[in-house]
Structures are given as C-alpha cells and as structure tokens.
Amino acid sequence: MLGRVNHIAIAVPDLAAATAIYRDTLGARVSQAQALPEHGVTVVFVELPNTKVELLEPLGENSPIAAFLEKSPFGGMHHICYEVDDIIVARDSLRAAGARVLGDGNPKTGAHGKPVLFLHPKDFNGTLVELEQV
Ligand code: CO
C-alpha cells in the first residue's frame, strides 16, 4: 500500500523563524508560505533531494496543531506522510483492518492539491500518519 515518504512534518511556533533556520542555517531550499485555512495551518516545504520537510504553523482559532504546540512549545515532529496510489482503496482496507481515519473519513485537498487523509496515531505506534494520493 505505501509508496514513498512524501514529507515529514514539523509543527513550529514561528514559521518565519523556522524558515530562516532551514534556509539560512541549514542551506536548504524553502518554498513560499502557503495558507491552508481548511487545515488550520500555514505551511512551507523544505525541498530535499529525497523528500520534503513540511513546517506547520497554526492558522486561525481552531488550528489542529494548537494543542500540540501547547505541549511542545518549541515545536516537534507532527506527522509523516506516505504516498499511496489510490486513497479510497487505502482508506477502505485500513478501516477493514480496524484503523481509525480522522475527520469524516473523506479525503481533503492537501498542500500539493492532491487528496489526503490522516490516520489515528494510536493505531500507528504513536505517530500521526498522513496518506497522500499521488
Ligand atoms: Co502533511
């Protein structure tokens, strides 16, 4: 079912500061910031030769990463995103195996304009998993 690691996401309290660390201190290419109101975050992507790192900053009142940053005020690893060929087939087979899909179970459009779903961390070794159809 799983393909490549599409990205690893890190929640950050200050996206401009985090961008500067990756761009200026670590010398990586970092994308323009992109507001995703439907997901309650603003994101940039650090573009690496083999994958991407997504830096997430809360956006709006009910950001899903606000509670995470309360517990980890300096930021921290938030989720890992795996690519799948068919997100509906993946969702249905994971549900049949007892895994919990977050939200209403319908894919949303992610930062790359592709369908994404999130899986409950309790079912995946304490890691929030994002699936992205590519
Ligand atoms: Co992501």
Side-chain angles (χ1 to χ4, degrees):
M1 180 187 304
L2 295 185
R4 297 172 63 246
V5 172
N6 184 276
H7 59 269
I8 296 156
I10 299 173
V12 303
D14 181 338
L15 191 59
T19 295
I21 289 169
Y22 275 87
R23 188 189 54 216
D24 304 333
T25 307
L26 295 171
R29 184 199 305 252
V30 182
S31 73
Q32 291 294 319
Q34 188 182 354
L36 299 174
E38 191 190 356
H39 295 275
V41 292
T42 303
V43 305
V44 300
F45 283 94
V46 180
E47 291 153 15
L48 303 172
N50 61 340
T51 190
K52 297 182 280 286
V53 173
E54 176 181 48
L55 304 177
L56 303 165
E57 179 186 65
L59 173 66
E61 295 290 300
N62 299 308
S63 175
I65 64 169
F68 181 94
L69 283 169
E70 268 169 42
K71 284 184 221 148
S72 302
F74 300 106
M77 207 192 120
H78 186 262
H79 65 265
I80 184 160
C81 177
Y82 299 110
E83 296 179 354
V84 295
D85 288 332
D86 186 323
I87 203 161
I88 300 300
V89 169
R91 177 197 66 190
D92 292 347
S93 105
L94 286 162
R95 275 188 171 157
R100 285 164 284 187
V101 177
L102 299 187
D104 64 7
N106 293 312
K108 287 186 179 176
T109 301
H112 308 112
K114 308 251 175 78
V116 301
L117 280 174
F118 286 90
L119 307 174
H120 201 297
K122 285 186 179 159
D123 297 329
F124 296 93
N125 309 102
T127 305
L128 178 61
V129 172
E130 179 179 17
L131 299 179
E132 179 173 312
Q133 179 174 299
V134 293

